Every structure is written in C-alpha cells, then in structure tokens.
Amino acid sequence: MVCLFSRKRSRRLFVIAALLAIGADQCATAANNDVEVIIDEATLVRLDRPAAEIVVGNPSIADVSVQSGKVLVVTGKSFGETNLIVMDADGKVFVNRRLIVQELRTGFVTLYKGASRQTLHCAPHCTPPLVIGDDKDYFKIIAEQIKTKQSISQSSAQGDKQQ
C-alpha cells in the first residue's frame, strides 16, 4: 500500500512538473512579443494606453488601423517581417514589436508545369489564391479577378447599382 501511494505521488509530481514546464514554455513564447498574422487575415493588438501615432516599418507587408484608442487591427498583406511602433500623445514609444506575416500552411496544393507554378487552396473545394511566386500570367489573371471583386464590393457598400 505504501509502495502504491509512493507511485501515485511520483506520478502526480511528474504531471505537475510537466505542466509547469509547458507553462514556462508558453510564457517564453508570449514574452517574445511578436505580432503574428496570416496573409489576408486580421488580428487584434491590445494596448495598455491609447495610441496617438502608429508606424509600420513596411506598409506593403501589413496594415494597421485603430479600432479604438487601445485596440489595433493588424491585417497581413504580404508575407514577410517588419516592425510596429506605437507612440502615445507625448510622442513616447510604448510599443516596438516585430510584425510577422505568414502564409496559411494548410490546404494548399502547388501544381508545376515545367518551370511554371500555380497554387490552389483546397478546403474542401479548390480555388486559386493570389500567391507570390506563381506563374506571372496566372498571377495576373487572379489579381484582376480579385480587383474586380473588390470593386464590386466597394460599389455595393457605397450603394451604387451594378450594370
């Protein structure tokens, strides 16, 4: 009986130690303060005080808008890394974080025809996303379709009638 109690206690201590190790790892990840976002998606960044000025090192990688004085919306535009600087009303920097925009890693199928590359996103139906590095003619067709779709959406949002 004492031996069983001892095993149970050892098992409990092992589980507690493992949970503490996982928790310490998560704290280290959270402490690195990178802002990570997927291309064409948005994430929220909560601030401890209102932002007066926002600077994105490379605005072709990400866009940042103010949802409220203390909440920023970061939208991934193109994969890469840049930085986000936020200043208060006194011009003091209170946020300076690395901003990382990544591609979605699941559901992509890449087709190669000789040197030409085309990408499809299949989840569950396959549609062609705009992916940097795809064949230039294929890329151009997809870009034009997206531009047309955005134009129609913008017109609808403004109340214009489509012809």
Side-chain angles (χ1 to χ4, degrees), residues 69-135:
K70 290 183 169 185
V71 178
L72 304 179
V73 179
V74 179
T75 305
K77 294 168 69 176
S78 177
F79 69 87
E81 293 184 19
T82 187
N83 65 320
L84 169 67
I85 299 171
V86 182
M87 294 177 272
D88 62 15
D90 297 327
K92 294 181 181 167
V93 174
F94 69 97
V95 172
N96 188 353
R97 295 168 66 178
R98 189 166 66 153
L99 206 154
I100 303 168
V101 179
Q102 302 171 339
E103 292 181 333
L104 190 62
R105 298 286 180 213
T106 59
F108 282 99
V109 175
T110 304
L111 303 172
Y112 291 93
K113 296 178 185 176
S116 174
R117 184 184 92 180
Q118 296 180 353
T119 304
L120 296 169
H121 184 254
C122 302
H125 304 289
C126 294
T127 57
L130 190 62
V131 177
I132 296 169
D134 277 351
D135 176 73

Side-chain angles (χ1 to χ4, degrees), residues 8 34 47 53 58 63 66-67 69 73 77 80-81 95 100 102 108 112 140 142 148-149 153 155:
K8 285 183 183 178
D34 290 346
L47 305 172
E53 185 90 21
N58 185 344
D63 185 42
V66 179
Q67 183 69 25
V73 179
K77 294 168 69 176
E81 293 184 19
V95 172
I100 303 168
Q102 302 171 339
F108 282 99
Y112 291 93
K140 186 175 181 180
I142 304 303
T148 301
K149 180 183 174 186
S153 298
S155 295

